Amino acid sequence: MITLKNIKKSYFIGERELPILKGIDLEIGNGEFVILMGVSGSGKTTLMNIIGLLDKQTEGEYIFMGRTIDGLEDEVLANLRNMHIGFVFQQFFLLPYLNALENVLIPIVYSQKEIKHPRDKARQLLARFGLADRVHNKPSQLSGGEQQRVAIARALINEPDLILADEPTGALDTKTGGEIMELFRMLNDEGKTIIVVTHDPKLASYGKRLIRIEDGTISQDSKV
C-alpha cells in the first residue's frame, strides 16, 4: 500500500534550511495496524502529512497504492485523499451547526465514489459506534468521546482503504481514549489499514507494529 524511499523534508526560514525528515525508508502493507510514535518535534506529524497526501516531501519517492505520487497536481492529490484515506484528528473538527448525521455525511459532498444510500450508511455507522440515539445531536450536545466516534464514522463514510489518526485520544480521558483505540482495533480486525500517530507509549499495545521516529529518522520498527 505505502512505500517511502529516502523521504526527506525540510522547511526554509529565509535562507536557513530546517530539516525535519532525514531519509525515511518505510513500507506499510494492506491490513497493518501501525503505531507511529515520537516526541513533539520528532517529525512524526510531518511524516503522517506526507503519507496522507497533505504535504509533499523535499526529496525521495512516495508510492501509494502502486502509484508514484511525486509531481501530481494538488487537485489529483485531493481526489486520492478523498477516495482512499480517512482522517481522524485530536481535535474533532466537527461543524458546530450540523448534527452528528450531517457531520458524518460531509465527505460525500466531495466524493467521486458512488456511495449508495449514504444517509442510511451514516446512520448505520453511528449506530455501530453506540450513537443511534445521538444522530440529531449537535457537537455541543455530545461528550468528547462521542464527538470522536462521530469523527471516526465520518472518516469511514467514503469506505477508505487507509485510516490515519493523529493523536486521536489526546483530548480524551484515559478510559475514553482506550475505547477509541478499541474501535480502531476492531476496524483493523475487519481489514482496514490503520496508522495512529501518537506520543503516548500506553497506546503502543493496541497496534501490531510500532515505528518510532527520533530526530527525523526511524529509530525502531518492530512488531508489538
Side-chain angles (χ1 to χ4, degrees):
M1 170 175 277
I2 291 168
T3 300
L4 303 176
K5 299 179 180 180
N6 195 32
I7 294 293
K8 297 180 182 179
K9 178 66 178 181
S10 296
Y11 295 100
F12 290 86
I13 304 174
E15 296 183 355
R16 178 168 168 255
E17 181 179 6
L18 181 63
I20 305 298
L21 299 178
K22 303 173 183 178
I24 299 289
D25 293 300
L26 179 62
E27 289 199 15
I28 297 175
N30 289 323
E32 291 204 63
F33 188 171
V34 176
I35 304 294
L36 183 59
M37 188 177 297
V39 299
S40 179
S42 62
K44 65 184 186 302
T45 297
T46 299
L47 180 57
M48 188 210 74
N49 287 340
I50 290 173
I51 290 173
L53 309 178
L54 296 169
D55 200 357
K56 298 178 181 179
Q57 69 270 24
T58 307
E59 297 181 35
E61 182 181 12
Y62 178 19
I63 301 171
F64 177 67
M65 299 188 69
R67 183 171 185 177
T68 299
I69 297 304
D70 316 325
L72 294 182
E73 298 293 332
D74 290 343
E75 184 178 350
V76 177
L77 294 176
N79 288 336
L80 286 172
R81 280 197 305 273
N82 186 266
M83 292 187 69
H84 298 292
I85 304 175
F87 292 92
V88 181
F89 299 97
Q90 177 177 346
Q91 304 303 323
F92 317 121
F93 295 121
L94 302 180
L95 296 183
Y97 51 86
L98 299 180
N99 63 33
L101 182 68
E102 293 164 337
N103 267 285
V104 172
L105 287 168
I106 288 173
I108 295 291
V109 177
Y110 306 100
S111 179
Q112 294 186 356
K113 284 185 176 179
E114 183 180 350
I115 305 296
K116 294 182 178 179
H117 310 295
R119 293 183 72 86
D120 290 342
K121 179 170 182 177
R123 287 179 181 274
Q124 290 167 6
L125 284 168
L126 289 169
R128 183 181 185 193
F129 298 151
L131 298 173
D133 59 346
R134 296 285 194 271
V135 293
H136 298 301
N137 288 46
K138 293 184 177 179
S140 62
Q141 300 169 311
L142 301 172
S143 69
E146 289 171 336
Q147 290 185 63
Q148 192 61 296
R149 289 169 187 262
V150 173
I152 295 172
R154 180 184 59 193
L156 290 170
I157 191 69
N158 272 351
E159 302 174 357
D161 302 286
L162 170 66
I163 297 174
L164 280 175
D166 188 9
E167 301 283 1
T169 67
L172 306 173
D173 60 71
T174 301
K175 179 178 181 295
T176 306
E179 292 171 353
I180 294 300
M181 292 303 296
E182 287 291 350
L183 285 181
F184 287 128
R185 180 181 280 170
M186 175 186 69
L187 292 168
N188 177 250
D189 287 343
E190 295 171 1
K192 291 292 184 186
T193 305
I194 313 282
I195 302 176
V196 173
V197 179
T198 185
H199 69 279
D200 186 351
K202 295 192 294 294
L203 301 186
S205 63
Y206 288 94
K208 297 177 181 176
R209 180 181 175 188
L210 173 62
I211 297 173
R212 192 181 300 274
I213 306 293
E214 291 184 14
D215 194 27
T217 63
I218 295 177
S219 63
Q220 179 182 352
D221 185 351
S222 59
K223 292 183 178 181
V224 176

